[in-house]
Amino acid sequence: MTAKRLSAPTLLLLPAVLVLAAVVVVPLCLSFYSSFTPFRLTRPETFFTFIGLRNYRNILSDANFWWAFGRTVLLLTIALNLEMLLGLGLALLVEKASRGQRLLRTIMMFPMMFSPILVGFQFKFMFNDNIGLVNNALQSLGLTRDAIPWLIEGHLAFIAISIAEIWSSTSIFAILILAGLLAMPKEPIEAARVDGCTPWQTFRYVTWPFIMPFAYIAMTIRSLDVARAYDIVKIMTDGGPAGRTELLWTLVARTAYSDARMGVANAMAYFSILLSIVFTVYFFRKLAAARTQIGAEW
């Protein structure tokens, strides 16, 4: 019997499949298995000791894990809402511009071009107690007398991180919502004006339903980004002071590499993925509902 020959498409795809399996599938399987072991980087033999769900039970009873989980949800909620509002405002302003709209769109994309690490260093310098731009500006304007410890006091550090996240990603919302505004037909808006609708009524009942799908797409993308936020927090505060800005993935990294408890860290990581899944499913349902509404009304 002759061996079955592989088709040309299969042969062409085979190298990519093998690379994906080696780079993605195998590490995922090994990390998932290690979450059921007491694996420590300093004790490689512990990788082969199966302990069942003990790591998952331990993290569910760990107060530090739940505090990090809560802070991540809080950051996600604040960032998504403010980014959506600011992005909507920017998109509306740019859409109304009669000249230089291309230049404004280009400028609006600048924050997306910076890596999160660079943004972290930038805002760490800006919120520095002594030489930071924020404190110097507040003191020059006479709004404060003493330097504000932005990155030392827990609540202020969380605010500083939120500002950095919002600055770096508001343009995602602005660009997607602007795309919706530019794709929107003008006839319904003109009809609303003829019927005597106020600008707010026109926006609320005509414009907003049309651009809602674009906003939900941006929310889906950003929910995945914020749920695994790491770079900016690592650079600005490293989870401090005293763990007050510790998020899920900074806690995972600290557990894995500083404490060398890789098994526990992988259990945290896989449990944390549930947060991303929940928000993704929620926003996809909202997206489907918004598209259905547009199809019914338009």
Side-chain angles (χ1 to χ4, degrees):
M1 294 178 64
T2 59
K4 184 178 179 180
R5 298 182 60 184
L6 297 176
S7 63
T10 303
L11 289 173
L12 291 173
L13 288 173
L14 188 59
V17 172
L18 293 176
V19 170
L20 284 174
V23 175
V24 178
V25 178
V26 173
L28 278 176
C29 293
L30 291 176
S31 64
F32 184 68
Y33 165 77
S34 70
S35 69
F36 298 99
T37 69
F39 179 42
R40 286 179 173 268
L41 293 177
T42 55
R43 298 177 58 192
E45 69 277 3
T46 56
F47 182 78
F48 303 100
T49 304
F50 186 79
I51 60 173
L53 297 173
R54 186 187 304 172
N55 287 334
Y56 291 91
R57 289 196 298 267
N58 289 340
I59 64 173
L60 291 177
S61 60
D62 185 359
N64 291 328
F65 174 79
W66 287 113
W67 276 110
F69 188 91
R71 290 188 200 98
T72 305
V73 174
L74 179 61
L75 177 64
L76 197 152
T77 304
I78 294 173
L80 286 185
N81 284 281
L82 290 180
E83 286 173 17
M84 194 273 289
L85 292 174
L86 294 173
L88 176 62
L90 284 174
L92 290 172
L93 290 173
V94 173
E95 194 266 340
K96 295 295 183 183
S98 57
R99 293 184 179 180
Q101 193 176 101
R102 291 185 179 180
L103 177 61
L104 291 174
R105 290 202 299 263
T106 303
I107 294 173
M108 197 166 56
M109 293 177 64
F110 276 174
M112 297 174 57
M113 301 177 186
F114 294 96
S115 69
I117 293 177
L118 183 58
V119 173
F121 278 116
Q122 172 185 333
F123 277 87
K124 184 177 182 179
F125 172 77
M126 290 176 62
F127 284 104
N128 184 275
D129 296 353
N130 299 316
I131 60 174
L133 175 63
V134 175
N135 275 335
N136 286 333
L138 292 175
Q139 290 173 333
S140 298
L141 294 172
L143 298 177
T144 59
R145 294 182 57 187
D146 300 323
I148 300 175
W150 289 102
L151 301 178
I152 298 176
E153 202 278 324
H155 298 297
L156 294 177
F158 189 85
I159 292 172
I161 290 171
S162 301
I163 292 172
E165 282 282 351
I166 292 167
W167 179 88
S168 65
S169 300
T170 295
S171 53
I172 296 176
F173 281 84
I175 290 168
L176 288 173
I177 293 174
L178 179 61
L181 290 171
L182 295 177
M184 182 178 176
K186 303 303 179 184
E187 291 81 4
I189 296 178
E190 294 173 356
R193 291 173 180 170
V194 171
D195 291 340
C197 293
T198 64
W200 166 248
Q201 290 173 330
T202 302
F203 172 79
R204 173 65 180 83
Y205 298 105
V206 180
T207 305
W208 177 242
F210 187 87
I211 63 176
M212 276 177 64
F214 298 89
Y216 285 131
I217 291 172
M219 284 187 175
T220 303
I221 296 171
R222 282 296 295 149
S223 66
L224 295 175
D225 287 340
V226 180
R228 55 186 175 84
Y230 174 77
D231 309 72
I232 291 177
V233 182
K234 177 67 177 177
I235 297 299
M236 291 184 67
T237 64
D238 195 17
R244 298 286 182 85
T245 59
E246 192 87 274
L247 301 182
L248 278 176
W249 288 98
T250 58
L251 179 62
V252 169
R254 192 183 310 282
T255 304
Y257 302 113
S258 298
D259 302 340
R261 297 186 297 157
M262 187 63 74
V264 177
N266 283 328
M268 289 182 180
Y270 278 99
F271 188 85
S272 303
I273 290 174
L274 293 176
L275 177 64
S276 301
I277 294 174
V278 167
F279 276 92
T280 301
V281 171
Y282 173 76
F283 287 128
F284 265 115
R285 288 184 176 180
K286 287 288 188 179
L287 173 62
R291 294 178 64 181
T292 302
Q293 181 180 357
I294 290 177
E297 296 180 357
W298 294 62

